[in-house]
């Protein structure tokens, strides 16, 4: 009876955690992302994954279910949740890569296969083990495939983001690694399903920890998802861009005023938006930097930001690097140090010591 009570209490606790996480995923996101349809799809997928797990958890704890039915459902829910996690990671990397129809068909295919498993267990019990192993291997293979697709999309999107916003997006690769770690952990939990036995209680704790990690990761990346969605919304327009209009000379005058106002310290603004603010189009804008400046806009602006950072540090040596990097429009500290070393040939701390020594002399 004591064991039953512990299982029931644990079922309530885990279900409450899963429900709370589902609500957080659906409700906690930046205001700027509220109209982002692709992110809404990703939020619904993760909430659905949590609710599927919660349903199985409650059903097992409060209803008498044949072991074979529960085992098959448990396998289906774990594999489906892992596949959904892969789809979510791809949606974050490239919102146009996966459609809702594609996700629905994959989930239904898994549901159909596992229904067939139950029928096989009832009608052909001798073949059940082999069919189950085939499905199990198929789930692992599909997870690995999705993982590879996610890595490919993250890398391609990172390059597009850096070109479109003229910013460094190294943190996108960190998100990629975190999502891949989540998928890998999900696969490890899936592989552990046939061997749970007496460690089911420990397995469930690990599974809840896995979902807490995923939910926090998801909420943390919501803003980046918004930037990615804006990128892909405008890519089609940019590909069919209008013919170049306006002279390079006029653009040079407008750009000088833009620099005088220190607009280069504003971050997360697309090059297309900057071109429009200078009364030109993206093709003329890029042509100007290719012909007149001799380097791309991203490198040119980063150089201006580092020069501004040097000016700030010279005025106030006590200013922290975090404050300096944010003040010049570089939101990631590692990007700031990397860019500083690229343009100045030394780290910010080395430059500061050199500047102080030069001032003393």
């Amino acid at each position: 009876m004591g064991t039953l009570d512990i299982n029931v209490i644990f079922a309530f606790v885990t279900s409450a955690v899963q429900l709370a996480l589902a609500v957080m995923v659906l409700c906690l996101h930046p205001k700027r992302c509220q109209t982002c349809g692709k992110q809404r799809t990703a939020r619904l997928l993760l909430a659905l994954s949590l609710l599927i797990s919660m349903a199985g958890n409650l059903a097992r704890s409060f209803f008498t279910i044949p072991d074979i039915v529960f085992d098959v459902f448990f396998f289906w829910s774990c594999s489906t949740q892992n596949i959904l996690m892969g789809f979510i990671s791809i949606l974050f990397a490239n919102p146009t890569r996966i459609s809702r129809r594609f996700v629905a068909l994959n989930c239904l295919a898994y549901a159909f296969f596992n229904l067939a498993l139950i029928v096989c267990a009832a009608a052909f019990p001798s073949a059940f083990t082999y069919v189950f192993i085939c499905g199990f291997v198929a789930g692992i293979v599909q997870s690995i495939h999705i993982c590879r697709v996610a890595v490919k999309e993250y890398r391609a999107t990172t390059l597009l983001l850096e070109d479109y916003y003229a910013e460094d997006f190294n943190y996108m690769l960190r998100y990629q690694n975190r999502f891949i770690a989540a998928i890998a952990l999900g696969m490890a939990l899936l592989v552990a399903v046939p061997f749970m036995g007496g460690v089911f209680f420990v397995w469930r704790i690990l599974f809840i920890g896995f979902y807490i990690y995923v939910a926090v990761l998801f909420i943390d990346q919501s803003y980046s998802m918004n930037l990615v969605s804006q990128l892909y919304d405008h890519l089609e327009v940019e590909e069919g861009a209008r013919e170049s209009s306006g002279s390079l000379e006029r653009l040079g005058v407008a750009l000088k005023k833009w620099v005088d106002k220190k607009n280069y310290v504003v971050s997360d603004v697309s090059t297309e938006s900057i071109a429009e603010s200078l009364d030109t189009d993206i093709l003329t804008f890029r042509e100007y930097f290719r012909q007149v400046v001799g380097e791309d806009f991203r490198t040119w602006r980063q150089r201006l930001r580092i020069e501004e950072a040097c000016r700030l540090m010279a005025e106030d040596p006590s200013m922290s690097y975090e404050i300096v990097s944010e003040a010049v429009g570089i939101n990631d500290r590692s990007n700031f140090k990397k860019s500083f070393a690229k343009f100045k040939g030394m780290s910010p701390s080395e430059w500061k010591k050199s500047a102080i020594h030069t001032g003393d002399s």
Side-chain angles (χ1 to χ4, degrees), residues 8-298:
V8 170
I9 292 172
F10 189 74
F12 270 120
V13 172
T14 53
S15 298
V17 170
Q18 288 170 317
L19 182 60
L21 290 175
V23 172
M24 287 172 60
V25 166
L26 290 172
C27 300
L28 295 182
H29 51 87
K31 291 182 179 180
R32 289 177 62 187
C33 296
Q34 287 181 352
T35 59
C36 176
K38 295 298 183 180
Q39 191 190 80
R40 186 161 52 248
T41 299
R43 287 201 305 270
L44 289 173
L45 287 179
L46 184 51
L48 175 64
S49 180
L50 284 160
L51 294 176
I52 287 175
S53 178
M54 187 181 75
N57 181 40
L58 292 175
R60 177 64 169 176
S61 301
F62 299 104
F63 298 97
T64 302
I65 300 176
D67 289 341
I68 188 64
V69 174
F70 175 75
D71 290 343
V72 171
F73 174 83
F74 195 75
F75 166 73
W76 172 77
S77 65
C78 290
S79 56
T80 300
Q81 288 159 46
N82 205 37
I83 297 302
L84 287 176
M85 186 55 52
F87 289 156
I88 290 166
S89 67
I90 296 174
L91 275 171
F92 265 117
N94 182 352
T96 65
R97 185 68 169 77
I98 292 178
S99 65
R100 296 183 183 183
R101 182 173 179 271
F102 179 80
V103 174
L105 287 176
N106 273 269
C107 292
L108 288 174
Y110 262 96
F112 178 80
F113 175 80
N114 284 275
L115 179 62
L117 268 180
I118 295 175
V119 173
C120 179
F124 311 100
S126 59
F128 175 79
T129 301
Y130 303 104
V131 177
F132 182 86
I133 291 175
C134 289
F136 183 80
V137 171
I140 297 297
V141 170
Q142 186 172 5
S143 294
I144 294 173
H145 171 69
I146 290 175
C147 191
R148 293 181 63 185
V149 172
V151 169
K152 180 180 177 181
E153 294 298 337
Y154 260 102
R155 290 176 178 173
T157 297
T158 298
L159 294 176
L160 290 172
L161 284 168
E162 290 179 342
D163 180 57
Y164 186 73
Y165 291 101
E167 303 278 2
D168 288 316
F169 278 82
N170 293 343
Y171 66 85
M172 285 294 290
L173 295 179
R174 291 201 295 272
Y175 280 125
Q176 165 203 296
N177 294 335
R178 291 171 186 173
F179 265 116
I180 298 310
I183 296 172
L185 179 58
M187 282 195 291
L189 292 172
L190 180 60
V191 169
V193 169
F195 312 103
M196 289 185 304
V199 297
F200 185 58
F201 185 82
V202 176
W203 191 96
R204 289 170 79 171
I205 293 177
L206 292 174
F207 199 69
I208 290 298
F210 161 73
Y211 264 113
I212 292 174
Y213 167 77
V214 168
V216 172
L217 172 61
F218 185 96
I219 295 168
D220 183 47
Q221 198 183 355
S222 291
Y223 180 66
S224 298
M225 176 72 174
N226 192 43
L227 295 179
V228 172
S229 296
Q230 290 177 6
L231 163 68
Y232 280 98
D233 285 343
H234 288 84
L235 273 183
E236 186 174 330
V237 176
E238 186 175 325
E239 287 174 359
R242 55 196 177 279
E243 292 186 6
S244 177
S245 62
S247 67
L248 298 183
E249 292 79 8
R250 190 174 71 240
L251 174 56
V253 173
L255 196 60
K256 184 178 184 305
K257 294 179 180 179
W258 186 84
V259 172
D260 291 340
K261 294 179 180 178
K262 294 186 178 180
N263 288 331
Y264 53 83
V265 302
V266 180
S267 61
D268 297 335
V269 180
S270 71
T271 50
E272 184 179 49
S273 298
I274 294 172
E276 289 177 356
S277 72
L278 297 172
D279 196 26
T280 189
D281 61 86
I282 191 65
L283 295 180
T284 302
F285 187 78
R286 288 177 174 166
E287 186 67 13
Y288 176 87
F289 278 91
R290 187 180 69 83
Q291 289 189 16
V292 179
V293 180
E295 61 184 355
D296 61 77
F297 172 71
R298 176 168 165 251

